Amino acid sequence: MEAADEWLLQSLRLYRDLHTFELQAPTRLIEWARGDRRVGWAGGKPSPCSWLFMPTHQGVCVAGYGQSDGNEILQLIPPPTLLTKETQGLCPERDFKVECGGFSERPVYSLKYVPDTSLLVTSGPPDSSLQVWQVSAEDSDVIKSISTIATENGTGQSWAKIDTISARAPWVLHGSRLDRIQITEVESRKNVYTAGIQAPQGSEELSSLAFLDCSLLLLCSATGRLCLADTRQPQGLTEAVPVPSAPSSERWCMGTRHAAQGSQPSSQPVARLSSRGLLALTDLRKTSEFLAVAKARVPSSGSGAEFLCVSWAPALEGYLAVSGFDGTVHVYDTQSWDSSGREAEPIFVHKGHTFGGAGGSRDPPLVTVHTWHLQKPRTLLSAASDGSLHVWDWVQPCGKCG
């Protein structure tokens, strides 16, 4: 029996749900649409109280990253079974539907919805500028480009990492190196905050950044350095956590978890993942030591670490997932980890992309991104370099039910 056939048989007992789809072009992002869409204001000058809101489906956005003749941005409506918190049994509709779409002339490496608006922000080569898009009202199926946010000395710099928030106004946090990160008001394109670290650390490339709340920012460099910035303080970036002891050739990314309502954003652990599979967990309230260090059971990344991804489960305490090493996604329970750095046993490994082989591709597919479902605790979405898009909910072993 071939490995693909064997996996298909095993999948009957390994998964509660497993959906497989084929995109027209591979994506390196899967972004959930959240909340209502803000579609305009009721006359006069816009203010926080004058915007009109309309409900939107809980969809996901994907985008191409390598086409020379245009890269499609699609907002997809998931199958109905994914839009409910509990599994609803058999459902005749098991495919994604295209809600709206648009085309970008440049590769789309990152995309973020601006919460509570109808806006998207994207970034990608060849420079660090940002593109702003509007998801049209429900009677239209167009995602249209409306503006560009240029950056100082952006030409020649790598593409910008981005995050968005709408606590005070629609803001985007962006940067490509530690020497200059900034917050820009999306609609007016006004720069509202700038910070950076001077040389030599300032020349380090950024791998990830995030709003912890409307004032606190967290950055991770490609070398694994974590830095904090508080927009209420003028001193700029401070190094919060030094680089873990590792070869200098390793590349790192980070994953953050949103704080529960009423808790401090710094109370949530930060996970860093290296191209060698090292995982370091940090509590930002006590940066002098690691919460835990472990080695993921993955091969050293042969992809140049381009697609490294680590993410915390939003609805499953202590669980995280990693990908970007091969055609698999590994899920780990970190609650029993210590600081020994020992190899960790994954709770589950999704191998579906390994056997996808869309179009008879010679090279085995590489997982480009994964993300967790926002309410279903054990449901993830993952995409690979062959254009495959999977949605899967693994069966928890009986001895580890929780």
Side-chain angles (χ1 to χ4, degrees), residues 39-154:
V39 297
W41 56 88
K45 293 184 178 181
S47 70
C49 298
S50 62
W51 289 99
L52 299 177
F53 289 84
M54 65 189 304
T56 183
H57 299 286
Q58 188 186 67
V60 295
C61 217
V62 297
Y65 62 88
Q67 303 301 310
S68 58
D69 56 348
N71 295 276
E72 202 166 16
I73 300 174
L74 296 175
Q75 182 165 295
L76 307 175
I77 302 175
T81 53
L82 291 181
L83 298 179
T84 58
K85 190 169 183 179
E86 301 298 331
T87 301
Q88 299 295 308
L90 293 177
C91 179
E93 296 185 44
R94 298 182 59 83
D95 208 344
F96 280 95
K97 292 183 177 180
V98 176
E99 184 176 19
C100 51
F103 280 93
S104 171
E105 295 181 356
R106 52 202 295 163
V108 181
Y109 277 27
S110 184
L111 178 150
K112 295 291 182 183
Y113 285 91
V114 182
D116 301 326
T117 77
S118 60
L119 303 177
L120 306 172
V121 180
T122 64
S123 66
D127 55 37
S128 60
S129 65
L130 312 181
Q131 289 67 52
V132 182
W133 306 76
Q134 183 162 38
V135 180
S136 299
E138 287 193 340
D139 59 353
S140 173
D141 59 0
V142 176
I143 298 176
K144 62 180 180 181
S145 176
I146 58 173
S147 66
T148 296
I149 298 175
T151 54
E152 185 178 338
N153 300 322

Side-chain angles (χ1 to χ4, degrees), residues 2 27 214 370:
E2 292 187 1
T27 183
C214 61
H370 73 264

Side-chain angles (χ1 to χ4, degrees), residues 344-358:
E345 181 77 25
I347 293 293
F348 188 79
V349 179
H350 175 60
K351 300 179 181 179
H353 295 285
T354 304
F355 305 114

Side-chain angles (χ1 to χ4, degrees), residues 228 241 264-269 282-288 291:
L228 279 169
V241 186
Q264 292 295 321
S266 59
S267 66
Q268 298 302 309
T282 302
D283 184 338
L284 294 177
R285 298 168 301 178
K286 191 176 181 181
T287 58
S288 59
L291 277 177

